[in-house]
Amino acid sequence: NLRGIREPRRGELVLCAPPYAEMNAGEGMLEPVVGFFTLQKMRLGTGSSLNWESELTVERIIGLPGDTVVFEDFIAYVKPARGNEFFNERAISDFTYSITLTPPPDAWKPEFALSGFMEEILLSKNEYFVLGDNRTGSSDSRHYGPLSGENIKQKVLFRYWPLRKAGAP
């Protein structure tokens, strides 16, 4: 919950502590290769912190506990808990927002990393699915999985960057 006050809401911007996993020896050997081919946008774990990596990130809550989330062409579709059909993430959000997309190269295939596609995932109790608004440049639940409620630290009250989006989120 948000500092013991209330549960996070769908579409809300929050400050998160991503649950990066520790690397084993095999992952440590593969890390430089993955970093090279993904231009260091994707990591296998946190064995050593990259300069650009932050302990806290700003993400948007897309899925709530009990929801099912699927990701197609960089858009999340959500089947709410006890619901029967999927809806575009923004159609059922409590907030109005826009997303930034930079499509991958034409030869990029859906099975490649960072392709904009992800299979369905059912969120358990106290699990949230979070995404960055910059869909092609964000490390979020597509990479590290659902986020535990304990990893959601605060609601974002004011955004100052980019300037064109400055103000209340």
Side-chain angles (χ1 to χ4, degrees), residues 76-135:
Y77 295 91
V78 180
K79 180 169 53 171
R82 297 179 298 283
N84 294 325
E85 59 185 286
F86 284 91
F87 297 94
N88 179 299
E89 64 180 274
R90 293 188 293 175
I92 60 172
S93 174
D94 294 335
F95 297 85
T96 302
Y97 58 93
S98 60
I99 56 177
T100 302
L101 295 174
T102 305
D106 291 337
W108 211 258
K109 297 180 182 173
E111 58 269 14
F112 290 172
L114 306 173
S115 67
F117 294 87
M118 182 193 79
E119 293 185 20
E120 286 183 20
I121 184 168
L122 174 63
L123 301 174
S124 299
K125 182 179 179 177
N126 198 36
E127 284 187 332
Y128 296 84
F129 194 88
V130 297
L131 294 172
D133 286 351
N134 180 356
R135 294 299 159 82

Side-chain angles (χ1 to χ4, degrees), residues 8-36:
R9 293 172 37 200
R10 188 185 319 277
E12 191 165 48
L13 276 179
V14 292
L15 191 62
C16 306
Y20 300 116
E22 292 297 322
M23 282 190 273
N24 63 35
E27 290 173 332
M29 291 181 1
L30 288 174
E31 183 70 20
V33 176
V34 171
F36 175 78

Side-chain angles (χ1 to χ4, degrees), residues 36-47:
F36 175 78
F37 284 107
T38 65
L39 301 176
Q40 295 190 1
K41 296 227 183 221
M42 190 164 119
R43 300 199 61 215
L44 295 175
T46 59

Side-chain angles (χ1 to χ4, degrees), residues 142-159:
R142 294 171 294 161
H143 305 105
Y144 51 71
L147 192 64
S148 168
E150 289 79 32
N151 291 67
I152 298 174
K153 302 303 180 188
Q154 298 178 357
K155 176 184 189 244
V156 173
L157 298 175
F158 184 82
R159 178 175 20 194

